[in-house]
Coordinates of all heavy atoms in Angstrom, one line a residue:
N1 N 0.8 -1.2 0.0 CA 0.0 -0.1 0.0 C 0.8 1.3 -0.1 O 0.8 2.1 -0.9 CB -1.1 0.0 1.4 CG -1.9 1.2 1.3 OD1 -1.5 2.2 0.9 ND2 -2.9 1.0 2.0
F2 N 1.7 1.4 1.1 CA 2.6 2.6 1.1 C 3.7 2.6 0.0 O 3.8 3.7 -0.4 CB 3.2 2.6 2.5 CG 2.2 3.0 3.5 CD1 1.6 2.1 4.5 CD2 1.8 4.4 3.7 CE1 0.7 2.4 5.4 CE2 0.9 4.7 4.6 CZ 0.3 3.8 5.4
A3 N 4.2 1.5 -0.3 CA 5.2 1.4 -1.5 C 4.6 2.0 -2.7 O 5.3 2.8 -3.5 CB 5.8 0.0 -1.6
T4 N 3.4 1.5 -3.1 CA 2.8 2.0 -4.4 C 2.5 3.5 -4.3 O 2.8 4.2 -5.2 CB 1.4 1.3 -4.5 OG1 1.7 -0.2 -4.6 CG2 0.8 1.7 -5.8
F5 N 2.0 3.9 -3.1 CA 1.7 5.3 -2.9 C 2.9 6.1 -3.0 O 3.0 7.2 -3.8 CB 1.1 5.5 -1.5 CG 0.8 7.1 -1.2 CD1 -0.2 7.8 -1.7 CD2 1.7 7.8 -0.4 CE1 -0.5 8.9 -1.5 CE2 1.4 9.1 -0.1 CZ 0.3 9.8 -0.7
I6 N 4.0 5.7 -2.4 CA 5.3 6.6 -2.4 C 5.9 6.5 -3.8 O 6.5 7.5 -4.3 CB 6.2 6.0 -1.3 CG1 5.8 6.4 0.0 CG2 7.7 6.5 -1.5 CD1 6.5 5.7 1.2
L7 N 5.8 5.5 -4.5 CA 6.4 5.3 -5.8 C 5.7 6.2 -6.8 O 6.4 7.0 -7.5 CB 6.4 3.9 -6.3 CG 6.8 3.5 -7.7 CD1 8.5 3.7 -7.6 CD2 6.6 2.1 -8.1
I8 N 4.4 6.3 -6.8 CA 3.7 7.1 -7.7 C 3.8 8.6 -7.4 O 4.1 9.4 -8.3 CB 2.2 6.6 -7.7 CG1 2.0 5.3 -8.3 CG2 1.4 7.8 -8.6 CD1 0.6 4.8 -8.1
V9 N 3.9 8.9 -6.2 CA 4.0 10.3 -5.8 C 5.4 10.7 -6.0 O 5.7 12.0 -6.5 CB 3.7 10.5 -4.3 CG1 4.1 11.8 -3.7 CG2 2.2 10.4 -4.0
S10 N 6.4 9.8 -5.8 CA 7.8 10.4 -6.1 C 8.0 10.5 -7.7 O 8.7 11.4 -8.1 CB 8.9 9.1 -5.8 OG 8.8 8.9 -4.4
F11 N 7.4 9.8 -8.4 CA 7.4 9.8 -9.9 C 6.7 11.1 -10.4 O 7.2 11.8 -11.3 CB 7.0 8.5 -10.5 CG 7.3 8.6 -12.1 CD1 8.6 8.3 -12.5 CD2 6.3 8.8 -12.9 CE1 8.8 8.2 -13.8 CE2 6.5 8.6 -14.3 CZ 7.9 8.4 -14.8
F12 N 5.4 11.3 -10.0 CA 4.5 12.4 -10.5 C 4.4 13.6 -9.6 O 3.8 14.6 -10.2 CB 3.1 11.8 -10.7 CG 3.0 10.7 -11.9 CD1 2.9 9.4 -11.6 CD2 3.1 11.3 -13.2 CE1 2.9 8.4 -12.6 CE2 3.0 10.3 -14.3 CZ 3.0 8.9 -13.9
G13 N 4.9 13.5 -8.4 CA 4.9 14.6 -7.5 C 3.6 14.6 -6.7 O 2.6 14.0 -6.9
S14 N 3.6 15.5 -5.7 CA 2.5 15.5 -4.7 C 1.5 16.6 -4.9 O 0.6 16.8 -4.1 CB 3.0 15.5 -3.4 OG 3.8 16.7 -3.1
R15 N 1.7 17.5 -5.9 CA 0.9 18.6 -6.1 C 0.0 18.4 -7.5 O -0.4 19.4 -7.9 CB 1.7 19.9 -6.3 CG 2.5 20.1 -5.1 CD 2.6 21.6 -4.8 NE 3.3 21.9 -3.6 CZ 2.9 22.0 -2.4 NH1 1.7 21.8 -2.1 NH2 3.8 22.3 -1.5
T16 N -0.3 17.2 -7.7 CA -1.1 16.9 -8.9 C -2.3 16.0 -8.5 O -2.4 15.5 -7.4 CB -0.3 16.2 -10.0 OG1 0.2 15.0 -9.6 CG2 0.9 17.2 -10.4
L17 N -3.1 15.7 -9.5 CA -4.2 14.7 -9.3 C -3.5 13.4 -9.0 O -4.3 12.5 -8.4 CB -5.0 14.6 -10.6 CG -6.2 13.6 -10.7 CD1 -7.2 14.1 -9.7 CD2 -6.6 13.7 -12.1
F18 N -2.2 13.2 -9.4 CA -1.7 11.7 -9.1 C -1.6 11.3 -7.8 O -1.4 10.2 -7.4 CB -0.2 11.7 -9.8 CG -0.5 11.5 -11.3 CD1 -0.4 12.6 -12.3 CD2 -0.8 10.2 -11.9 CE1 -0.3 12.4 -13.6 CE2 -1.1 10.1 -13.3 CZ -0.8 11.1 -14.1
V19 N -1.6 12.3 -6.9 CA -1.5 11.9 -5.4 C -2.8 11.1 -5.0 O -2.9 10.2 -4.3 CB -1.3 13.2 -4.5 CG1 -2.5 13.9 -4.3 CG2 -0.8 12.7 -3.2
Y20 N -3.9 11.4 -5.6 CA -5.2 10.7 -5.3 C -5.2 9.5 -6.1 O -5.8 8.5 -5.5 CB -6.4 11.7 -5.6 CG -6.3 13.0 -4.8 CD1 -6.0 14.2 -5.4 CD2 -6.6 13.0 -3.4 CE1 -5.9 15.3 -4.7 CE2 -6.6 14.1 -2.7 CZ -6.2 15.3 -3.4 OH -6.0 16.4 -2.6
I21 N -4.8 9.3 -7.2 CA -4.5 8.2 -7.9 C -3.6 7.3 -7.2 O -3.9 6.1 -7.1 CB -4.1 8.4 -9.4 CG1 -5.2 9.1 -10.2 CG2 -3.6 7.1 -10.0 CD1 -4.7 9.7 -11.4
A22 N -2.6 7.9 -6.7 CA -1.6 6.9 -5.9 C -2.2 6.5 -4.6 O -2.0 5.2 -4.2 CB -0.4 7.8 -5.4
L23 N -3.0 7.2 -3.9 CA -3.7 6.9 -2.7 C -4.7 5.6 -3.1 O -4.6 4.6 -2.4 CB -4.6 8.0 -2.2 CG -5.5 7.6 -1.0 CD1 -4.6 7.2 0.3 CD2 -6.4 8.7 -0.7
C24 N -5.4 5.7 -4.2 CA -6.4 4.7 -4.6 C -5.7 3.4 -5.1 O -6.0 2.3 -4.7 CB -7.4 5.1 -5.7 SG -8.5 6.5 -5.2
L25 N -4.6 3.7 -5.7 CA -3.7 2.3 -6.2 C -3.0 1.7 -5.0 O -3.0 0.4 -5.1 CB -2.8 2.8 -7.4 CG -3.3 3.2 -8.7 CD1 -2.4 3.6 -9.7 CD2 -4.3 2.0 -9.3
G26 N -2.6 2.5 -4.1 CA -1.9 2.0 -3.0 C -3.1 1.2 -2.1 O -2.7 0.1 -1.7
I27 N -4.1 1.7 -2.0 CA -5.1 1.0 -1.1 C -5.6 -0.2 -1.8 O -5.6 -1.4 -1.3 CB -6.5 1.8 -1.1 CG1 -6.2 3.0 0.0 CG2 -7.7 1.0 -0.7 CD1 -7.2 4.1 0.0
L28 N -5.7 -0.3 -3.2 CA -5.9 -1.5 -3.9 C -4.9 -2.5 -3.9 O -5.2 -3.7 -3.7 CB -6.2 -1.2 -5.4 CG -7.6 -0.6 -5.8 CD1 -7.7 -0.1 -7.2 CD2 -8.8 -1.4 -5.5
S29 N -3.6 -2.1 -3.9 CA -2.5 -3.0 -3.7 C -2.5 -3.6 -2.5 O -2.3 -4.9 -2.3 CB -1.2 -2.4 -4.1 OG -0.9 -1.4 -3.2

C-alpha cells in the first residue's frame, strides 16, 4: 500500500491529481 503510494508520488509529484490516484492504487494493492 505505502510502497505503491510513495512510488507514484515520487514519480509524478504530490501537487497533482496523481496523489489521489496514488492513494487509490496503494489501497488497492
Side-chain angles (χ1 to χ4, degrees):
N1 181 333
F2 286 102
T4 301
F5 177 79
I6 289 167
L7 182 67
I8 293 170
V9 169
S10 295
F11 189 74
F12 291 104
S14 61
R15 302 222 184 260
T16 66
L17 175 64
F18 283 103
V19 75
Y20 302 105
I21 294 170
L23 177 68
C24 293
L25 292 176
I27 289 169
L28 284 174
S29 65

